[in-house]
Amino acid sequence: MQHLPVFLDLRDQTCLIVGGGEVAARKCAMLRRAGAKVKIVAPALCRRLAEAIEPAAIEHVARDFQTADVEDVALVVAATDDGAVNEKVSQAARARRIPVNVVDHPELCSFVFPSIVDRSPVIVAVSSGGASPVLARLVRARLEGLLPAGLGRLAKLLGRYRDRIKQRIPTFSERRRFWEDLIQGPFSEHVLSGDEAAAVRLLEDRLAGNVSVTGAVYLIGAGPGDPDLLSFRALRLMQAADVVLYDRLVSPEVLDLVRRDAERIYVGKRRNYHRMRQEEINATLLNLAQAGKRVVRLKGGDPFVFGRGGEEIAGLAAAGIHFEVVPGVTAANGCAAYAGIPLTHRDYAQSVVLVTGNLRDGRVNLDWAGLVRPQQTLVIYMGLTGLDQICAGLQSAGMSSAMPVALIERGTLPDQRVIVSTLAELPARVAGETIQAPTLLIVGDVVRLHEQFAWQVTAGD
Ligand code: SAH
């Protein structure tokens, strides 16, 4: 290990910055964030630094550096572009054993500034020991994505209970188990989703010895297929799951991101068995949660868009089971973006309607007249089986037979295909193709933009 990582308490201590440019300004801001006072020695200041001066906390000494400037400071930073000055600062500080950093000159430094992820009071510092600051920054960016925005809030809340828990649970190992259980369970999710009151209730209940089971159900939108479209929150919960229930629409790439040890239950629906199967799913979710499991219910797209999410949480709500709904990118958004078809556009469409073209008793029951409006985009889910009826219904309600329609097959997946046609011609066009589920229809003038925006070559064009 080239450097020992430590976290310095610099509150109200004076730190010296030599130099008055942009880099000095950034270091000054960083030291101020840590509560330090700053003395800047530089003949002149850049505008940003000049504006940052606060009489009580940032002092400017307007002259060249002198060795005596390092007396009585806790830390020294040299940020000048004059090699001789930088060297002089480094020597003066080192002679007095004061930590010194010379920006971009590792050989003159006794410490380096790491790249940081700030979720105060949780702070992650990354360093490449000066070998590649860009690499360290990229590692940092990855960590930014992994660590929830509310981590700091979680740490603060835990901190408030530390003394109390220490008194309540005297042995170290039991205490550690208590914290681990708490932090890995619904308590944290409450805090991270912004419901601190629920978290506190749960903790107080546990302290009072009232609660033994802490199961929960997370209804997660897995998006249309491309795993990159998952949200951070979805990923976090997937990686903490004890068991996952998923159906046909969840892509194998998404499923791969679920915690390795989690039990996987396929609940794919077969056509005509919807009702019974749905009840079974609801019951399974309930039973697993009541047994104390962290259950992830993965649904294609968004759980609340043609996803029966409302039905799945109804039973949980009635039974008092903790549940959360994590939104996903719905097929309409995913397909539109990946096919280069904006759903609204100043020149073509001011509204979007999402409908299901599902057959009921062999018929598509839609309010055709209501769907045929000028400047409106129509997105039809589950529309392939009833395609003939849909195209005929829209035309009989007055939509132009030349209205462009896009059929997007396996949207956002590597084998996505877009077939562009018109209301009059699409059924015949589709009859001549082998179409793979799932597919989505986009009807409206916005489809004309596909040619201009899509990078994907459409089949048969
Ligand atoms: N809750 C989902 C929709 C479930 S209904 C969502 O928000 O997207 C299932 C229908 O969604 C499919 O029949 C199809 O019409 C559409 N769909 C889902 N994923 C799709 C994809 N990758 N490409 C095209 N259509 C998709």
Side-chain angles (χ1 to χ4, degrees):
M1 193 157 67
Q2 191 182 341
H3 293 100
L4 175 73
V6 292
F7 291 87
L8 286 178
D9 182 355
L10 289 174
R11 277 169 301 176
D12 294 326
Q13 305 224 40
T14 300
C15 300
L16 171 70
I17 295 179
V18 183
E22 284 296 325
V23 180
R26 281 205 295 279
K27 297 298 179 210
C28 180
M30 183 62 80
L31 291 170
R32 287 295 300 135
R33 263 167 75 182
K37 291 182 173 165
V38 181
K39 180 167 109 180
I40 303 168
V41 174
L45 298 184
C46 70
R47 214 173 110 204
R48 188 168 150 208
L49 257 185
E51 285 172 3
I53 296 293
E54 326 162 38
I58 306 178
E59 175 200 0
H60 177 207
V61 182
R63 57 161 169 73
D64 286 331
F65 170 75
Q66 295 166 3
T67 305
D69 289 328
V70 303
E71 302 290 349
D72 297 325
V73 299
L75 191 112
V76 176
V77 179
T80 81
D81 44 21
D82 182 326
V85 174
N86 285 343
E87 197 146 349
K88 194 169 151 195
V89 176
S90 175
Q91 272 172 13
R94 283 165 172 251
R96 289 163 184 78
R97 308 238 181 280
I98 301 169
V100 59
N101 177 274
V102 180
V103 177
D104 280 342
H105 290 280
E107 72 287 359
L108 297 178
C109 295
S110 67
F111 77 92
V112 294
F113 279 101
S115 287
I116 62 166
V117 182
D118 188 354
R119 302 279 190 277
S120 284
V122 176
I123 294 174
V124 182
V126 181
S127 162
S128 67
S132 171
V134 173
L135 177 69
R137 268 212 305 282
L138 293 175
V139 171
R140 191 211 78 162
R142 286 205 174 183
L143 293 171
E144 282 283 3
L146 283 178
L147 299 175
L151 195 66
R153 262 185 290 124
L154 178 62
K156 280 186 197 138
L157 184 62
L158 293 169
R160 288 216 297 275
Y161 277 88
R162 242 187 111 175
D163 289 342
R164 229 177 108 192
I165 306 284
K166 208 166 181 171
Q167 279 163 13
R168 264 303 293 281
I169 312 174
T171 59
F172 175 74
S173 61
E174 274 181 55
R175 208 158 56 230
R176 193 185 56 197
R177 209 167 326 124
F178 175 88
W179 284 125
E180 282 176 358
D181 265 11
L182 189 76
I183 293 169
Q184 291 175 45
F187 172 85
S188 294
E189 274 314 312
H190 283 313
V191 180
L192 298 177
S193 66
D195 192 352
E196 218 161 284
V200 168
R201 265 197 314 276
L202 193 144
L203 178 50
E204 292 290 351
D205 272 354
R206 282 196 63 174
L207 286 173
N210 288 341
V211 187
S212 51
V213 211
T214 53
V217 175
Y218 304 105
L219 197 57
I220 297 179
D226 182 347
D228 276 5
L229 295 177
L230 282 173
S231 67
F232 290 139
R233 184 144 164 243
L235 188 61
R236 192 172 72 239
L237 289 167
M238 284 159 67
Q239 293 186 343
D242 294 319
V243 46
V244 56
L245 281 75
Y246 67 101
D247 47 43
R248 196 170 39 86
L249 276 179
V250 175
S251 68
E253 292 81 2
V254 168
L255 202 59
D256 248 7
L257 297 170
V258 172
R259 191 168 71 94
R260 289 262 165 269
D261 302 339
E263 182 189 350
R264 288 159 164 75
I265 304 178
Y266 177 69
V267 295
K269 294 172 190 162
R270 284 159 293 170
R271 226 174 268 153
N272 304 330
Y273 280 93
H274 266 201
R275 288 202 78 137
M276 193 196 88
R277 294 287 297 162
Q278 188 63 54
E279 280 154 19
E280 252 179 66
I281 294 171
N282 298 354
T284 310
L285 291 175
L286 187 61
N287 293 341
L288 287 167
Q290 277 171 336
K293 303 271 193 218
R294 260 167 300 171
V295 187
V296 160
R297 169 68 171 117
L298 267 186
K299 307 200 66 111
D302 180 89
F304 279 180
V305 179
F306 306 125
R308 307 191 75 167
E311 292 163 59
E312 297 192 0
I313 56 178
L316 304 170
I321 297 289
H322 174 71
F323 66 86
E324 284 176 31
V325 181
V326 181
V329 173
T330 189
N333 289 131
C335 293
Y338 283 51
I341 302 174
L343 294 177
T344 65
H345 188 286
R346 247 159 53 112
D347 301 333
Y348 299 104
Q350 275 71 51
S351 63
V352 191
V353 179
L354 309 185
V355 294
T356 159
N358 225 353
L359 298 178
R360 281 219 168 172
D361 305 322
R363 288 182 53 79
V364 182
N365 288 314
L366 285 170
D367 166 21
W368 303 112
L371 298 180
V372 182
R373 297 244 164 85
Q375 308 258 307
Q376 174 165 284
T377 304
L378 198 56
V379 181
I380 306 174
Y381 289 66
M382 295 172 272
L384 189 61
T385 324
L387 185 68
D388 293 6
Q389 286 186 44
I390 290 168
C391 291
L394 290 172
Q395 288 175 85
S396 66
M399 193 178 273
S400 160
S401 57
M403 180 61 86
V405 188
L407 182 139
I408 297 145
E409 180 187 329
R410 297 179 54 77
T412 80
L413 290 160
D415 53 350
Q416 163 177 303
R417 192 160 65 129
V418 183
I419 296 176
V420 176
S421 184
T422 61
L423 264 195
E425 286 165 11
L426 186 66
R429 174 76 187 277
V430 163
E433 305 265 357
T434 313
I435 307 283
Q436 289 189 70
T439 60
L440 191 83
L441 294 169
I442 302 183
V443 184
D445 288 314
V446 287
V447 172
R448 297 180 203 285
L449 295 162
H450 166 72
E451 299 264 305
Q452 192 183 330
F453 293 149
W455 57 91
Q456 197 106 13
V457 182
T458 65
D461 275 4

